[in-house]
């Protein structure tokens, strides 16, 4: 097959996957509107996990989980952040409540689905908003919930970690909850080599990252859970440095 044929094949593959994802998003909205009001909380969580796993499949991605996801809370998951698929791949591995920047709430379709999945929203530009988010996180952890944050604060290129911000770790210190490092990544399904097709660097448009992912050959979404660890007397900055080192070890392991 020549170059033009390969390009045409990638385009057709991307269009097919895009159509399936669009239908899946609409199905998700229907579930939220029609089914969620009648479901118990554990049933909603199971729906979110199953829907997220199916979303990966429609993008041509298989899930691979290493390590042990938390069976129950309280626990705060901290993970690296490089892809537009990081949230659904972690949801697919283990339901959790994400802490996301507040503008996600206003995104078409995505905001509705994120809110229904239990997302807590963070107003990063407001000290009052930050304190309110920390209080909500502390309360959720004290109730035995599983929360998740991306301490890098933005998406990177997938090749190196950005510095971990420590602010949100204060909720775990205040509640006495452990924190569990998680490494996220992608690999080519055929060769096993790392793939950066789904990565979304901060200077790139989301649409370009989505299209590159959908045009890629089959991929494996890798979620590697480390061991939960307590603060053990560390302040949040020291703990953030330790957790970043832990995530890096999981990425290399």
């Amino acid at each position: 097959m020549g170059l033009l044929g390969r390009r045409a094949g990638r385009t057709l593959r991307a269009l097919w996957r895009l159509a399936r994802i669009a239908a899946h998003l609409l199905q998700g909205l229907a579930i939220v509107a029609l089914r969620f009001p009648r479901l118990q909380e554990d049933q909603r969580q199971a729906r979110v996990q199953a829907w997220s796993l199916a979303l990966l499949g429609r993008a041509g991605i298989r899930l691979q989980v290493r390590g042990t996801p938390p069976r129950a809370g309280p626990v705060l998951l901290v993970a690296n952040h490089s892809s537009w698929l990081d949230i659904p791949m972690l949801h697919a591995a283990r339901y959790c409540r994400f802490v996301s920047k507040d503008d996600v709430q206003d995104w078409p379709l995505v905001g509705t689905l994120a809110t229904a999945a239990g997302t807590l929203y963070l107003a990063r530009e407001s000290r009052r908003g930050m304190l309110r988010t920390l209080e909500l996180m502390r309360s959720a952890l004290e109730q035995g919930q599983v929360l998740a944050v991306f301490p890098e604060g933005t998406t990177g290129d997938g090749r190196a970690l950005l510095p971990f911000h420590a602010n949100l770790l204060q909720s775990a210190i205040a509640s006495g909850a452990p924190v569990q490092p998680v490494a996220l990544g992608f690999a080519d399904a055929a060769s096993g080599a790392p793939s950066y097709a789904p990565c979304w660097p901060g200077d790139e448009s989301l649409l370009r990252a989505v299209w590159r992912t959908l045009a890629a050959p089959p991929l494996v979404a890798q979620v590697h859970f480390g061991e939960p660890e307590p603060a053990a007397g560390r302040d949040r900055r020291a703990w953030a440095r330790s957790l970043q080192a832990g995530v890096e070890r999981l990425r290399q392991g």
Side-chain angles (χ1 to χ4, degrees):
M1 183 182 296
L3 178 60
L4 291 179
R6 289 195 296 271
R7 287 179 177 174
R10 288 195 296 268
T11 299
L12 288 174
R13 178 166 57 206
L15 289 172
W16 169 242
R17 290 173 176 173
L18 182 61
R20 298 185 71 203
I21 288 176
H24 193 61
L25 289 172
L26 293 176
Q27 180 192 46
L29 290 175
I31 292 172
V32 167
L34 302 176
R35 300 294 300 275
F36 266 33
R38 303 197 299 270
L39 298 178
Q40 301 295 321
E41 181 59 31
D42 60 338
Q43 295 173 316
R44 292 184 182 186
Q45 294 179 10
R47 286 277 184 172
V48 171
Q49 186 169 9
W51 185 90
S52 298
L53 182 61
L55 177 68
L56 294 178
R58 282 157 176 74
I61 299 172
R62 173 173 58 87
L63 179 68
Q64 179 187 75
V65 178
R66 298 175 61 189
T68 304
R71 290 187 175 87
V75 63
L76 177 63
L77 305 177
V78 297
N80 58 300
H81 193 21
S82 63
S83 170
W84 62 281
L85 285 169
D86 288 344
I87 289 178
M89 66 192 282
L90 191 46
H91 264 319
R94 206 293 179 200
Y95 171 82
C96 50
R97 295 187 69 187
F98 277 92
V99 181
S100 296
K101 56 186 180 180
D102 57 354
D103 60 346
V104 171
Q105 192 171 8
D106 299 322
W107 290 6
L109 297 181
V110 173
T112 300
L113 295 172
T115 299
T119 300
L120 297 172
Y121 294 106
L122 170 63
R124 291 185 295 183
E125 304 304 321
S126 164
R127 175 173 172 78
R128 179 177 297 179
M130 172 66 77
L131 293 176
R132 174 170 171 74
T133 301
L134 287 172
E135 178 59 25
L136 290 173
M137 292 176 65
R138 181 195 62 78
S139 177
L141 290 169
E142 289 179 347
Q143 294 171 32
Q145 297 182 22
V146 180
L147 305 185
V149 300
F150 297 123
E152 290 169 289
T154 187
T155 49
D157 63 6
R159 291 171 171 79
L161 294 181
L162 301 173
F164 276 23
H165 298 288
N167 289 346
L168 295 180
L169 293 178
Q170 190 61 41
S171 62
I173 293 174
S175 63
V179 175
Q180 185 167 2
V182 185
L184 308 178
F186 295 88
D188 182 271
S191 68
S195 173
Y196 303 103
C199 293
W200 179 21
D203 58 351
E204 183 179 70
S205 73
L206 174 58
L207 290 179
R208 183 174 180 181
V210 171
W211 184 260
R212 186 173 57 247
T213 306
L214 300 184
L219 300 174
V220 177
Q222 301 170 321
V223 183
H224 192 175
F225 289 90
E227 293 296 322
E229 59 179 70
R234 291 171 290 188
D235 64 28
R236 62 181 187 240
R237 291 179 179 81
W239 202 4
R241 290 192 294 270
S242 174
L243 290 165
Q244 180 169 351
V247 170
E248 184 60 41
R249 286 193 296 270
L250 294 171
R251 277 166 35 93
Q252 302 301 326

